[in-house]
């Protein structure tokens, strides 16, 4: 027999439920955690163990439901009391204007209409029923009339209130909203699935759908889903506010997330402005949106307008350019990178996607081609989200033509003919030609001259191609031997540009050590690593003599990087190039060895958004001079995130992980308290 709970136990359980519900709301809805995760976990476990001991204490609104039950659910079908309609789309400004015209015609008015503009979240619609404030049923949209019961899975989503807050709660109410997966969570989920060799998701929407369809709520519980409310229907006698806007403000007081980008606009011109400003912001948002929904704000007018077939006459979705399209892989070519890495690139039938015409997409490596099962001739999904390079995310094997051909790694480098080798356990195949390979030579020169390395202005891809193809330049040292007369003979090189280039090359003769080291293009030696190594050893001579063990004494240099550095200096042609550079008059500046601790030594910082008083590179330099490492992405190990204006997903992630965040002014304040060199 199970124990009956005593009064203390029931009281404590109630207290814990209240505290955990409040902390959950602070964390997931307000993005503002009030207690550390560890403390939350302790309270959570205390409630779990009380409920385990006295099952009668486990209420429907208990936060312990969030972990999900491991019992398989069956997704019974449910009929929607109010059908879940869809939205008409507008694909142009003109179509939006026609919509507004129709609204005003029907309402017989020439006055500007007040609309609410809301981001159209790219996820799945969900209907949530609350009885006396407690979540009793959650359902998918299905065909609009019948959906599936997904209550157990929905309960695991932390931003869904299991119990409504406040004291103006209707007895029976249905809240509708969108379930979606933020971009950061989607990328992380795909990374983990890919690593395990499992099927990845094409986009965040698919990932959200796949996560909700899990039979085991425990699996859904581990997926980073969120819910944002966008409409409400009362099913009792309570009174609705008079506008859509106010109804959402009401829903917000019950503990729901609503979209902070929501805007009240008057007249169609303001609608079009709202469309453009949201489109500008699209890439910075932490989640994907595929348009903006305009809804007539007055509920009385909504009622007058009514519905036609399956969509309301009072709302429309103005769509953004699609981020995925279908096209055909016409060919696969192999490119050779600076370190000899061979990258397969799909040549595509040109397609307009993500706002630009795309005709190439990376296929990353042969493993990726096998995972996708991509053939030449295949019809594929191409995705271009934000400014990320276009990706082939899915192949449609059912559309494969008979003459489709398998993609295979060429045995020899397409540029220099040297063997292509793939070291066991490595995903990347490489050309073994080293600096014999013109492609690698060109890339090496390109990197050496790039802005973050020696910054040789005017030495762009076009010139590098010509100089290497004509054998005027074989190694970076040859750059310093170029004479004006070598250049003036070349097509489109006038006297003035020849002079400018020679001067620019000349000006790069005295680099600081770390920049020079970075410019050498040693594998996996980025700016931060080059800086750390330069200030640890002080001279190139010392670096070139260091064995792998002493290299690993530098913070952030592990066995792999140490191995790359050692093998660079062990190759005769590299030593020859360094000698030639010295002979040509290049003198890298030695550095002071700074072994001492700096204020931010050992810390990793992330910069995001726009700062008002400095560029991102300047901010990076400041942080590095204080000893911090500056990284590109936020993780639990990040020490601090500096969030300027319009910070997006990185800020959201930092907040979610509880990482310290400094805004623009706090950061300036912080810098002013430290001595910058
Ligand atoms: S209102 C009758 N508002 O878009 C109005 N829908 O194409 C019905 N959606 O199934 C929906 N964001 O999944 C509305 N702010 C928003 C929305 C939104 C995304 C989705 C929803 C719906 C689909 C209709």
């Amino acid at each position: 027999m199970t124990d009956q709970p005593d009064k203390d136990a029931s009281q404590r359980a109630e207290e814990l439920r209240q505290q955990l519900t409040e902390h959950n709301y602070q964390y997931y809805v307000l993005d503002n955690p009030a207690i550390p995760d560890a403390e939350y976990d302790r309270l959570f476990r205390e409630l779990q163990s009380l409920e385990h001991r006295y099952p009668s204490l486990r209420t429907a609104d208990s936060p312990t439901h969030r972990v999900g039950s491991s019992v398989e659910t069956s997704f019974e079908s449910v009929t929607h009391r109010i059908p879940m309609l869809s939205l008409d789309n507008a694909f142009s400004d003109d179509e939006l204007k026609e919509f507004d015209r129709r609204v005003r015609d029907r309402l017989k008015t020439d006055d500007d209409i007040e609309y609410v503009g809301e981001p159209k979240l790219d996820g799945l619609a969900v209907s949530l029923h609350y009885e006396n404030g407690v979540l009793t049923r959650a359902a998918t949209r299905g065909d609009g009339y019948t959906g599936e019961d997904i209550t157990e899975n929905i309960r695991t989503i932390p931003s869904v209130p299991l119990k409504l807050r406040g004291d103006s709660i209707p007895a029976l109410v249905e809240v509708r909203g969108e379930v979606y997966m933020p971009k950061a969570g989607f990328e992380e989920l795909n990374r983990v699935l890919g690593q395990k060799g499992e099927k990845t998701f094409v986009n965040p929407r698919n990932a959200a759908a796949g996560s909700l369809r899990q039979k085991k709520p425990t699996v859904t519980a581990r997926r980073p889903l969120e819910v944002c409310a966008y409409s409400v229907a009362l099913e009792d006698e309570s009174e609705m506010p008079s506008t859509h806007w106010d109804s959402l403000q009401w829903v917000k007081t019950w503990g729901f997330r609503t979209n902070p980008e929501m805007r009240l606009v008057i007249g169609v011109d303001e609608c079009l402005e709202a469309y453009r400003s949201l489109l500008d912001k699209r890439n910075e948002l932490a989640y994907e949106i595929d348009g903006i929904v305009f809804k007539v704000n007055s509920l009385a007018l909504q009622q007058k307008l009514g519905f036609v077939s399956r969509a309301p006459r009072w709302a429309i979705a103005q769509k953004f350019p699609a981020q995925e399209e279908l096209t055909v892989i016409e060919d696969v070519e192999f490119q050779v990178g600076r370190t000899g890495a061979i990258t397969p690139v799909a040549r595509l039938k040109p397609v307009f996607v993500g706002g630009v015409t795309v005709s190439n997409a990376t296929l990353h490596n042969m493993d990726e081609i096998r995972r996708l099962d991509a053939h030449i001739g295949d019809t594929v999904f191409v995705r271009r989200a934000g400014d990320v390079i276009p990706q082939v995310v899915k192949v449609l094997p059912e559309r494969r033509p008979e003459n489709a051909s398998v993609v295979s790694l060429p045995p020899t480098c397409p540029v220099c003919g040297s063997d292509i080798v793939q070291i066991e356990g490595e995903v990347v195949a490489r050309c073994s030609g080293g600096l014999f390979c013109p492609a690698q030579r060109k890339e090496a020169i390109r990197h050496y001259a790039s802005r973050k390395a020696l910054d040789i202005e005017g030495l762009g891809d076009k010139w590098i191609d010509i100089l290497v193809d004509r054998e005027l330049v074989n190694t970076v040292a040859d750059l310093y031997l170029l004479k004006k007369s070598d250049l003036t003979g070349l097509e489109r090189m006038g006297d003035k540009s020849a002079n400018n280039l020679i001067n620019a090359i000349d000006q790069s003769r005295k680099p600081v050590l770390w920049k020079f080291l970075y410019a050498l293009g040693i594998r996996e030696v980025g700016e931060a690593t080059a800086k750390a190594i330069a200030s640890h050893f002080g001279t190139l001579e010392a670096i070139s003599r260091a064995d792998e063990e002493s290299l690993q004494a530098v913070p952030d240099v592990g066995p792999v990087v140490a191995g790359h550095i050692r093998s660079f200096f062990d190759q005769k042609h590299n030593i020859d190039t360094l000698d030639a550079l010295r002979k040509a008059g290049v003198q890298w500046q030695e550095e002071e060895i700074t072994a001492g601790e700096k204020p931010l030594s050992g810390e990793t910082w992330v910069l995001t958004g726009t700062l008002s008083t400095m560029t991102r590179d300047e901010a990076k330099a400041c942080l590095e001079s204080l000893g911090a490492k500056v990284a590109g992405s936020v993780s639990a190990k990040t020490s601090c995130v500096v969030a300027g204006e319009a910070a997006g997903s990185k800020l959201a992630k930092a907040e979610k992980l509880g990482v310290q965040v400094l805004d623009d002014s706090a950061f300036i304040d912080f810098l002013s308290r430290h001595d910058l060199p």
Side-chain angles (χ1 to χ4, degrees):
M1 226 188 89
T2 22
D3 291 351
Q4 280 307 308
D6 56 25
K7 200 161 148 255
D8 283 356
S10 351
Q11 238 170 33
R12 179 66 184 150
E14 175 59 23
E15 204 172 273
L16 286 166
R17 270 197 300 272
Q18 273 178 19
Q19 285 181 15
L20 287 164
T21 302
E22 181 62 27
H23 291 311
N24 191 72
Y25 172 71
Q26 297 268 346
Y27 192 98
Y28 289 102
V29 180
L30 303 183
D31 284 332
N32 183 19
I35 52 165
D37 289 2
E39 177 63 15
Y40 182 92
D41 293 344
R42 273 189 290 277
L43 298 173
F44 193 90
R45 277 194 301 270
E46 190 187 339
L47 180 60
Q48 261 182 328
S49 84
L50 271 176
E51 289 178 347
H52 183 73
R53 179 141 180 235
Y54 310 113
S56 64
L57 292 181
R58 193 173 160 109
T59 56
D61 60 356
S62 172
T64 56
H65 289 299
R66 304 270 191 210
V67 292
S69 134
S70 57
V71 180
E72 293 204 352
T73 46
S74 56
F75 305 135
E76 314 258 309
S77 85
V78 288
T79 308
H80 298 300
R81 272 174 256 175
I82 312 166
M84 292 183 81
L85 303 167
S86 66
L87 288 169
D88 274 343
N89 292 321
F91 292 98
S92 65
D93 288 3
D94 282 344
E95 287 182 19
L96 189 74
K97 287 181 191 159
E98 281 163 30
F99 161 77
D100 175 64
R101 179 82 260 155
R102 284 196 302 274
V103 167
R104 286 185 296 140
D105 284 351
R106 267 203 173 253
L107 296 175
K108 298 194 175 56
T109 174
D110 272 334
D111 293 346
D112 281 342
I113 303 288
E114 185 170 72
Y115 294 103
V116 179
E118 301 169 13
K120 186 168 191 296
L121 295 164
D122 205 3
L124 298 99
V126 64
S127 139
L128 306 166
H129 276 271
Y130 288 84
E131 285 176 31
N132 298 317
V134 177
L135 175 69
T136 49
R137 200 192 75 192
T140 60
R141 174 168 177 268
D143 63 3
Y145 301 98
T146 32
E148 286 177 327
D149 186 327
I150 50 164
T151 316
E152 290 310 313
N153 283 348
I154 286 291
R155 275 195 219 280
T156 68
I157 303 176
S159 46
V160 174
L162 299 179
K163 188 176 176 188
L164 302 181
R165 302 167 63 84
D167 34 44
S168 80
I169 302 164
L172 270 185
V173 64
E174 181 188 2
V175 176
R176 289 179 178 175
E178 196 84 347
V179 188
Y180 62 97
M181 190 178 286
K183 294 174 190 171
F186 161 70
E187 271 149 32
E188 178 61 14
L189 174 63
N190 260 359
R191 194 184 62 77
V192 172
L193 291 174
Q195 224 167 34
K196 289 198 269 182
E198 289 178 29
K199 231 180 118 205
T200 53
F201 291 104
V202 167
N203 55 31
R205 183 181 183 284
N206 264 267
S211 302
L212 273 187
R213 225 179 290 117
Q214 294 294 326
K215 292 245 175 219
K216 283 197 178 165
T218 40
V219 178
T220 310
R222 291 195 297 269
R223 299 285 172 83
L225 296 172
E226 287 186 16
V227 164
C228 180
Y230 58 62
S231 82
V232 58
L234 300 176
E235 296 177 295
D236 61 3
E237 299 309 308
S238 342
E239 204 178 321
M240 271 294 261
S242 63
T243 63
H244 174 65
W245 180 273
D246 288 347
S247 75
L248 289 185
Q249 298 311 313
W250 195 24
V251 168
K252 199 166 157 185
T253 67
W254 301 341
F256 277 96
R257 258 176 193 277
T258 54
N259 200 297
E261 308 299 330
M262 222 161 46
R263 296 279 176 271
L264 255 184
V265 289
I266 298 172
V268 73
D269 290 339
E270 285 189 19
C271 288
L272 293 173
E273 261 169 50
Y275 171 86
R276 267 180 272 286
S277 99
L278 190 61
L279 181 56
D280 277 348
K281 231 177 167 184
R282 183 186 200 181
N283 295 340
E284 289 156 23
L285 298 175
Y287 43 84
E288 292 221 324
I289 56 177
D290 57 348
I292 181 167
V293 185
F294 293 108
K295 300 175 181 170
V296 170
N297 193 26
S298 152
L299 297 184
L301 295 185
Q302 283 192 6
Q303 203 147 32
K304 262 195 190 166
L305 288 159
F307 301 87
V308 59
S309 71
R310 306 188 55 189
R313 287 204 191 88
W314 44 262
I316 195 154
Q318 190 178 9
K319 300 294 286 268
F320 289 160
Q323 306 204 105
E324 273 140 36
E325 286 294 351
L326 284 184
T327 187
V328 174
I329 300 185
E330 293 182 327
D331 198 5
V332 173
E333 286 175 12
F334 292 85
Q335 283 178 349
V336 193
R338 173 164 55 87
T339 57
I342 306 279
T343 307
V345 177
R347 303 285 177 224
L348 305 169
K349 184 159 174 255
V351 62
F352 191 73
V353 57
V356 299
T357 301
V358 166
S359 42
N360 300 310
T362 177
L363 288 164
H364 301 286
N365 51 55
M366 294 307 289
D367 277 6
E368 175 77 356
I369 294 180
R370 274 187 288 273
R371 197 183 61 74
L372 288 165
D373 187 30
H375 291 54
I376 297 169
D378 268 340
T379 297
V380 294
F381 265 61
V382 180
R383 179 172 153 84
R384 181 183 178 274
D387 38 23
V388 180
I389 50 172
Q391 316 270 331
V392 171
V393 288
K394 188 187 163 123
V395 168
L396 300 184
E398 64 278 15
R399 295 228 205 156
R400 181 168 297 153
E402 271 185 16
N403 62 356
S405 54
V406 174
V407 182
S408 48
L409 189 67
T412 56
C413 172
V415 177
C416 73
S418 303
D419 288 347
I420 287 180
V421 286
Q422 185 157 19
I423 296 168
E424 223 182 90
E426 273 200 25
V427 197
V428 177
R430 289 175 200 282
C431 159
S432 60
L435 289 180
F436 167 73
C437 177
Q440 290 178 65
R441 235 183 286 152
K442 285 179 187 172
E443 284 294 334
I445 298 169
R446 201 167 288 155
H447 177 72
Y448 184 85
S450 67
R451 200 173 51 78
K452 287 187 171 163
L454 296 204
D455 195 15
I456 305 180
E457 223 183 299
L459 189 57
D461 290 1
K462 213 178 63 197
W463 287 116
I464 295 171
D465 283 349
I466 296 178
L467 294 172
V468 173
D469 291 345
R470 306 240 171 143
E471 297 189 7
L472 283 164
V473 172
N474 284 316
T475 73
V476 291
D478 297 335
L479 290 172
Y480 297 95
L481 305 177
L482 284 174
K483 292 187 294 296
K484 204 175 126 187
S485 57
D486 294 329
L487 300 179
T488 40
L490 302 171
E491 56 210 275
R492 274 178 294 147
M493 180 63 102
D495 223 39
K496 190 157 170 231
S497 13
N499 264 337
N500 287 347
L501 185 54
I502 300 273
N503 281 340
I505 293 173
D506 202 41
Q507 272 169 23
S508 70
R509 279 181 208 266
K510 291 200 168 138
V512 292
L513 180 58
W514 78 260
K515 283 216 178 211
F516 182 71
L517 183 62
Y518 170 70
L520 292 177
I522 303 170
R523 274 181 66 191
E524 294 190 39
V525 176
E527 285 176 286
T529 312
K531 280 179 196 169
I533 296 170
S535 62
H536 184 90
F537 289 101
T539 65
L540 192 71
E541 179 63 25
I543 302 168
S544 68
R545 276 188 282 107
D547 59 19
E548 292 187 29
E549 201 184 331
S550 24
L551 285 165
Q552 285 181 58
V554 181
D556 273 350
V557 174
V560 175
V561 179
H564 290 323
I565 298 171
R566 204 46 267 152
S567 83
F568 179 90
F569 290 107
D570 282 343
Q571 290 184 49
K572 187 171 173 305
H573 64 87
N574 289 330
I575 299 298
D576 290 346
T577 304
L578 288 171
D579 282 343
L581 281 163
R582 237 182 252 116
K583 279 208 191 89
V586 178
Q587 287 176 305
W588 42 92
Q589 311 298 300
E590 308 203 330
E591 286 200 21
E592 235 174 81
I593 301 178
T594 50
E597 281 287 289
K598 293 187 178 177
L600 304 182
S601 289
E603 296 200 14
T604 305
W605 286 52
V606 172
L607 294 162
T608 181
T610 318
L611 296 169
S612 59
T613 55
M614 60 181 90
T615 65
R616 207 178 276 196
D617 278 347
E618 285 163 352
K620 188 171 175 214
C622 289
L623 287 170
E624 283 171 344
S625 71
L626 295 172
K629 190 178 155 219
V630 178
S633 61
V634 178
S635 75
K637 294 205 182 96
T638 308
S639 320
C640 186
V641 170
V642 179
E645 194 169 306
S649 59
K650 287 180 196 165
L651 172 58
K653 187 157 178 204
E655 286 173 340
K656 190 150 200 165
L657 294 171
V659 170
Q660 191 195 354
V661 176
L662 293 184
D663 65 13
D664 198 357
S665 62
F667 180 54
I668 293 164
D669 201 4
F670 172 84
L671 290 180
S672 71
R673 281 183 273 118
H674 288 85
D675 280 333
L676 293 168

